[in-house]
Structures are given as structure tokens and as C-alpha cells.
Amino acid sequence: KKSVFHIIPNEELEKEFLNRFHKAEQLLELRTAIYNPSKEDEYLFESVDWNRVLTERKNNYTVLFGLLSKFQSKIIPGEYQFLMLKLNNRDKIRKLLFSNDVFLPIHWVDSPSALSDLQLSIPVDQRYTISDMKELGDLLIKILEAHES
């Protein structure tokens, strides 16, 4: 079954990824110079149909938002890169999703905001289909109904 949401669950691999991601973030923080993109990068950037990208993100967001309308009070208003949920037991929900082969990132881990411990980011970008959003929405509903007060 093809879906970019699904991976082989592996907590050690996830920890390694997050470790490397954090190290990369630290290296970026140290950079002071500004670099120009290569000609190849410029070509790739210019070849993207950004209107299509935005349309697909909006469509995915709208579908997932509609599916989760029962949990509207838990949806954090935002743009179309992620649908953000505010969950009292975010880590438990995330582990349940992980056990169903769905990996969702945690953003702003080092933020001093109390909200950062409650936020769950759901990617809705153009790599995903409406079918992916429906499948994920159905799974989220099932888990949220059982485990979120």
C-alpha cells in the first residue's frame, strides 16, 4: 500500500533522525555568510508550479480540517503547511499513530511556550493525496475518540 505517511516503525531510527536533525539545526545557527543558490537550484526552484503546490496544500488542509470538524476546538488556526492540533496527551496520541505506521513530527521542542508540549503537526503538503488525508483523518478520529478528552 503506497503512502508517504507510512514507514517501518523504528524508535531507534527516529531518535537517530531527530539527533541528526538537531545537529544540522545547530550547524545552521553557526553560519553567518549568505550563499547564492547554484544555477541548478535556481532552475529547480523556477520549474515548480507554486500555484499548484498551494492549491494542493489548501485542498489537503481543507479535507483534513473537514474530517476533524468534531475536534475543531483542538485545531490550532494556521496556514497550509501543517494542520496543527492541541492535544492534552499529545505524546500518547503520537505513539498510537506511530504504532499504526504514521510518523508525525514534533516542532518547536525547545520553545518556552507551554503550547509547544501540546502541539502535534500534521503535514498537508503537496506530496500527499486526498486519499492520504482521508486515511489519516479516519485513523485520527478513531484514536482521538478513544484517547483524547
Side-chain angles (χ1 to χ4, degrees), residues 1-4 6 135:
K1 179 163 124 174
K2 179 187 170 247
S3 176
V4 271
H6 295 93
E135 185 177 344

Side-chain angles (χ1 to χ4, degrees), residues 82-93:
F82 296 96
L83 186 137
M84 305 291 290
L85 295 175
K86 178 182 173 185
L87 303 172
N88 294 323
N89 57 358
R90 180 212 47 205
D91 294 336
K92 179 179 182 179
I93 300 296

Side-chain angles (χ1 to χ4, degrees), residues 8-139:
I8 298 170
N10 183 322
E11 288 190 40
E12 287 303 313
L13 187 59
E14 179 186 0
K15 286 178 188 174
E16 179 66 20
F17 168 79
L18 293 173
N19 252 350
R20 290 182 183 204
F21 186 82
H22 183 68
K23 286 179 185 177
E25 291 269 316
Q26 289 175 325
L27 289 172
L28 286 173
E29 295 281 329
L30 297 174
R31 288 185 112 170
T32 57
I34 298 175
Y35 299 93
N36 290 324
S38 68
K39 293 292 179 196
E40 181 183 359
D41 289 338
E42 285 180 14
Y43 172 78
L44 289 172
F45 183 81
E46 290 170 1
S47 68
V48 173
D49 180 350
W50 295 106
N51 287 325
R52 181 191 61 78
V53 167
L54 182 58
T55 298
E56 289 181 15
R57 286 180 178 203
K58 284 181 178 181
N59 289 343
N60 286 344
Y61 185 97
T62 301
V63 166
L64 196 55
F65 185 90
L67 286 169
L68 298 176
S69 61
K70 179 178 184 177
F71 301 98
Q72 192 169 20
S73 65
K74 298 188 179 302
I75 297 174
I76 301 168
E79 295 297 323
Y80 302 109
Q81 186 171 2
F82 296 96
L83 186 137
M84 305 291 290
L85 295 175
K86 178 182 173 185
L87 303 172
N88 294 323
N89 57 358
R90 180 212 47 205
D91 294 336
K92 179 179 182 179
I93 300 296
R94 185 169 177 255
K95 282 185 181 193
L96 289 165
L97 289 164
F98 192 85
S99 71
N100 281 276
D101 301 332
V102 176
F103 171 75
L104 297 178
I106 299 296
H107 291 100
W108 310 286
V109 175
D110 298 331
S111 171
S113 168
L115 187 60
S116 68
D117 291 338
L118 305 175
Q119 287 180 249
L120 186 64
S121 306
I122 304 171
V124 294
D125 66 60
Q126 70 284 353
R127 296 172 296 167
Y128 306 116
T129 65
I130 297 296
S131 177
D132 290 329
M133 293 296 108
K134 288 179 179 177
E135 185 177 344
L136 179 60
D138 290 344
L139 179 59

